[in-house]
């Protein structure tokens, strides 16, 4: 497993909604400062629909979250941050009480066995903050068996929402995307807060397109790349590509037949920022957001492209939103 075929055709119209959630959250059950109840209250106050409990190398928070979930009206994905000496990764959608082993290094060549344990439980595996600025934060395992990559992680030692480790993770992900597109396989990106302290929840978070709000559907949305990343809940994006009466959204595929196609984007919650369109050739279009923070953009693209994706940044260079690609044929 790992990655996702992108040869998806747009057939019958499927009704999907966008759900917001944070897939990397720590509580007092590992090294977090907040209780399950405190995290839940903050998540719901921000309008989040789901979160994943990912305490370090333990399942201690699973049952407390399940006990609390019905009262919170918050979908909870059981998980673990598997914290090894050669990098961290998220195991999401595992069974109640299941602990994924962390006692190995990259040289032991056993990572695939542990990824299989998660996949056999119906879960997904995500590379976590691969360029985090501490000794075990550099990810040294092969990426191939993972389902997604966390390119945007919350603040570490400052209030800056976008730091150098995130920029490095994004550039690495872009390089891998450009390299694997001809072969038809790729790994979506997500973003999470890595909450440890008060006030960190949801900054950033992942917005997932799904037919319903349940664990399997949300994980499918992540695995297939039908998701984008927001710096905060006030940021919103609509992003589509269309041609000859057909259209596709984030994570989907559009058969352009080498014809020009129209890219449409609506962005809200980013006053006076930059909106930039990227293909495998790099940045191809850009626009400036009005001071109101609400803008609607359209670009006609006639040059060949394998995919299009969107970045929204503030004037200061901080990321406000990132989308996974729309693939083109």
């Amino acid at each position: 497993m790992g990655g996702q075929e992108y040869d998806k055709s747009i057939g019958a119209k499927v009704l999907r909604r966008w759900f917001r959630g944070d897939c990397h959250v720590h509580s007092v059950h590992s090294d977090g400062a907040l209780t399950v109840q405190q995290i839940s209250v903050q998540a719901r106050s921000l309008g989040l629909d789901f979160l994943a409990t990912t305490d370090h190398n333990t399942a201690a928070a699973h049952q407390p979250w399940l006990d609390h979930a019905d009262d919170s009206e918050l979908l909870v994905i059981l998980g673990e941050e598997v914290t090894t000496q050669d990098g961290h990764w998220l195991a999401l959608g595992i069974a109640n009480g299941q602990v994924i082993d962390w006692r190995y290094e990259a040289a032991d060549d056993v990572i695939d066995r542990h990824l299989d344990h998660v996949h056999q439980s119906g879960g997904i595996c995500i590379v976590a903050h691969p360029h985090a600025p501490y000794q075990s934060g550099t990810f040294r395992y092969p990426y191939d068996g993972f389902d997604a990559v966390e390119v945007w992680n919350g603040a570490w030692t400052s209030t800056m929402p976008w730091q150098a480790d995130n920029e490095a993770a994004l550039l690495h992900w872009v390089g891998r995307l450009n390299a694997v597109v001809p072969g038809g396989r790729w790994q979506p990106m997500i973003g999470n807060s890595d909450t440890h302290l008060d006030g960190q929840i949801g900054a950033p978070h992942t917005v997932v397109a799904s037919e319903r709000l349940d664990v399997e559907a949300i994980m499918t949305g992540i695995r297939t790349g039908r998701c984008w990343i927001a710096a905060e809940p006030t940021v919103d994006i609509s992003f589509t590509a269309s041609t000859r009466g057909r259209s596709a959204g984030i994570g989907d595929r559009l058969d352009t037949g080498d014809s020009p196609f129209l890219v449409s984007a609506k962005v809200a919650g980013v006053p006076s920022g930059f909106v930039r369109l990227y293909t495998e050739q790099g940045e191809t279009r850009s626009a400036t957001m009005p001071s109101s923070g609400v803008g609607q953009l359209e670009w006609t693209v006639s040059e060949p492209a394998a995919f299009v994706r969107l970045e929204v940044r503030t004037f200061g260079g901080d990321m406000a939103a990132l989308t996974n690609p729309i693939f083109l044929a």
Side-chain angles (χ1 to χ4, degrees):
M1 297 186 68
Q4 175 66 31
E5 297 287 344
Y6 70 80
D7 55 345
K8 302 185 275 292
S9 297
I10 306 301
K13 188 173 182 178
V14 176
L15 181 63
R16 300 190 188 115
R17 292 177 52 201
W18 291 103
F19 297 100
R20 293 177 181 262
D22 196 335
C23 293
H24 192 164
V25 176
H26 299 277
S27 73
V28 293
H29 293 281
S30 61
D31 59 346
L34 303 178
T35 65
V36 165
Q37 291 79 6
Q38 289 171 322
I39 294 171
S40 176
V41 168
Q42 291 188 17
R44 291 304 294 159
S45 70
L46 292 171
L48 299 188
D49 302 295
F50 67 92
L51 61 77
T53 170
T54 55
D55 283 301
H56 294 277
N57 302 337
T58 180
H62 287 184
Q63 194 58 50
W65 269 112
L66 291 177
D67 292 341
H68 182 69
D70 291 340
D71 296 331
S72 69
E73 298 183 347
L74 189 71
L75 176 70
V76 176
I77 301 172
L78 299 182
E80 173 191 345
E81 182 173 7
V82 185
T83 307
T84 83
Q85 291 301 308
D86 281 339
H88 302 185
W89 57 280
L90 306 177
L92 304 185
I94 58 180
N96 184 14
Q98 183 178 6
V99 177
I100 306 301
D101 194 10
W102 67 95
R103 292 162 295 190
Y104 47 86
E105 300 176 0
D108 296 328
D109 197 26
V110 297
I111 186 67
D112 287 343
R113 179 201 315 165
H114 300 292
L115 300 181
D116 286 345
H117 291 164
V118 177
H119 290 142
Q120 289 164 7
S121 297
I124 59 176
C125 305
I126 298 170
V127 176
H129 48 62
H131 296 271
Y134 50 82
Q135 185 173 359
S136 68
T138 300
F139 198 81
R140 297 181 175 88
Y141 300 97
Y143 280 58
D144 294 343
F146 288 85
D147 301 288
V149 180
E150 184 185 72
V151 303
W152 190 347
N153 192 262
W156 291 97
T157 58
S158 76
T159 58
M160 296 292 291
W162 182 259
Q163 300 186 79
D165 56 299
N166 293 322
E167 196 75 62
L170 175 61
L171 289 174
H172 187 190
W173 178 85
V174 168
R176 287 179 55 80
L177 176 66
N178 291 345
V180 302
V181 159
R185 297 193 66 84
W186 70 297
Q187 289 160 316
M189 60 177 170
I190 68 170
N192 304 300
S193 70
D194 198 358
T195 287
H196 285 75
L197 305 174
D198 187 28
Q200 293 180 329
I201 191 78
H205 63 276
T206 301
V207 190
V208 181
S210 175
E211 299 174 55
R212 60 192 185 277
L213 183 61
D214 65 32
V215 171
E216 181 180 357
I218 292 298
M219 291 197 304
T220 296
I222 293 172
R223 187 189 295 113
T224 58
R226 294 187 175 99
C227 52
W228 60 276
I229 311 170
E232 54 187 351
T234 56
V235 176
D236 202 10
I237 279 182
S238 171
F239 180 48
T240 60
S242 60
T243 187
R244 298 183 298 180
R246 298 187 301 273
S247 65
I250 298 167
D252 287 322
R253 175 183 178 272
L254 177 68
D255 185 357
T256 63
D258 293 327
S259 298
F261 58 94
L262 181 70
V263 174
S264 301
K266 296 179 181 178
V267 180
V270 189
S272 303
F274 295 108
V275 182
R276 291 169 174 155
L277 183 72
Y278 289 83
T279 71
E280 68 274 24
Q281 301 301 319
E283 181 181 335
T284 63
R285 306 286 193 282
S286 65
T288 301
M289 287 289 294
S291 59
S292 66
V294 179
Q296 184 167 346
L297 310 166
E298 288 189 343
W299 293 295
T300 297
V301 181
S302 55
E303 60 268 29
F307 64 82
V308 287
R309 64 179 184 87
L310 208 65
E311 291 186 11
V312 185
R313 294 184 186 243
T314 68
F315 277 166
D318 290 334
M319 196 68 71
L322 274 170
T323 75
N324 276 298
I326 301 170
F327 291 99
L328 310 165

